[in-house]
Amino acid sequence: MSVAQIITEKLTAALSPSHLEVINESHNHHVPPNSETHFKVIIASSEFEGKRLIGRHRAVNEALAEEFAQGLHALSMHTYTPQEWADEANVPDSPKCKG
């Protein structure tokens, strides 16, 4: 199973998202081909209702603690409530980190 699939399964189980995208952005970094070390997560969940950004990020980090321990290097998080996602639905592009 790919790291992206594991991230998807764990976030789905922990946060029951109404919207979830897991994007492998490793190719934007100086890593070997086919690496799975840098990801972008776009997630909308009612679990984020009433939580500040830091609380939302903690919830994601807690769900993925094992993956970070096993080599997940970077995770860009865009966390929304379902209403925020319905209103916003606009995620900034990630920077191209390759020199």
Side-chain angles (χ1 to χ4, degrees):
M1 185 179 305
S2 74
V3 175
Q5 290 170 314
I6 292 168
I7 291 171
T8 299
E9 285 186 4
K10 289 197 172 184
L11 291 178
T12 299
L15 300 170
S16 302
S18 58
H19 178 85
L20 177 62
E21 294 177 53
V22 178
I23 304 161
N24 184 349
E25 296 189 326
S26 300
H27 63 277
N28 290 338
H29 303 272
H30 289 289
V31 295
N34 301 315
S35 290
E36 292 187 290
T37 56
H38 296 71
F39 287 87
K40 178 183 204 173
V41 169
I42 304 162
I43 182 170
S45 172
S46 58
E47 296 291 323
F48 298 147
E49 297 284 349
K51 289 187 181 176
R52 293 181 178 196
L53 187 61
I54 189 76
R56 296 173 184 197
H57 285 200
R58 282 184 182 143
V60 171
N61 283 330
E62 287 172 11
L64 301 178
E66 187 176 338
E67 285 59 48
F68 280 109
Q70 294 179 356
L72 177 60
H73 176 71
L75 185 66
S76 171
M77 290 181 254
H78 301 275
T79 56
Y80 304 91
T81 65
Q83 187 60 55
E84 289 168 345
W85 180 247
D87 294 343
E88 178 96 9
N90 184 15
V91 177
D93 290 335
S94 297
K96 302 293 183 205
C97 295
K98 280 187 173 178

